[in-house]
Amino acid sequence: QVNLVESGGGLVQAGGSLRLSCAASGRSFNNYAVAWFRQAPGKERERVAAMPYNGAYIDYIDSVKGRSTISRDNVKNTVYLQMNSLKPEDTAVYYCAADPTSSSTYTYWGQGTQVTVSS
């Protein structure tokens, strides 16, 4: 019902910034919880940021707290992850995901966008 496409990744120097975008097509996911995940080579996927459908509560992992912001534009049906003060350890493939059931089970996933932070 919902297709998610990430963009905005790339190569950036440490200390730089990126804004990742996740555009949804098909059915609107404005009433879905959304999240950003990342997975580095050889490591488990981890949830970077999560936001319920109403935006009432936003959760970030400690490693990005204070320098990353998840947001959404319901008109554009797009979710964003603004990342500042990037570090080499932020290097990973970043995925957006959506949860239509408010169960913290993400059933819609994008294809991922690569973020590489050089020293």
Side-chain angles (χ1 to χ4, degrees):
Q1 290 186 296
V2 177
N3 298 118
L4 306 177
V5 179
E6 301 95 335
S7 63
L11 175 63
V12 64
Q13 288 283 106
S17 298
L18 287 173
R19 188 178 73 165
L20 307 183
S21 298
C22 176
S25 61
R27 190 187 186 279
S28 172
F29 73 143
N30 291 341
N31 293 326
Y32 295 176
V34 294
W36 285 93
F37 292 77
R38 68 185 181 188
Q39 187 169 29
K43 296 184 178 180
E44 295 291 327
R45 182 177 295 167
E46 62 180 349
R47 194 177 72 186
V48 179
M51 180 171 63
Y53 75 94
N54 60 7
Y57 175 81
I58 301 174
D59 187 41
Y60 301 94
I61 58 172
D62 289 341
S63 61
V64 306
K65 187 176 179 65
R67 58 188 183 93
S68 296
T69 303
I70 185 173
S71 62
R72 72 196 307 170
D73 185 329
N74 288 335
V75 174
K76 296 181 179 179
N77 208 26
T78 300
V79 62
Y80 303 96
L81 182 67
Q82 177 70 44
M83 303 181 67
N84 302 319
S85 301
L86 285 163
K87 305 174 181 179
E89 51 263 43
D90 294 319
T91 296
V93 177
Y94 284 72
Y95 301 87
C96 65
D99 169 18
T101 64
S102 299
S103 64
S104 297
T105 300
Y106 297 94
T107 57
Y108 296 102
W109 293 82
Q111 85 291 343
T113 185
Q114 176 72 48
V115 171
T116 303
V117 184
S118 62
S119 300

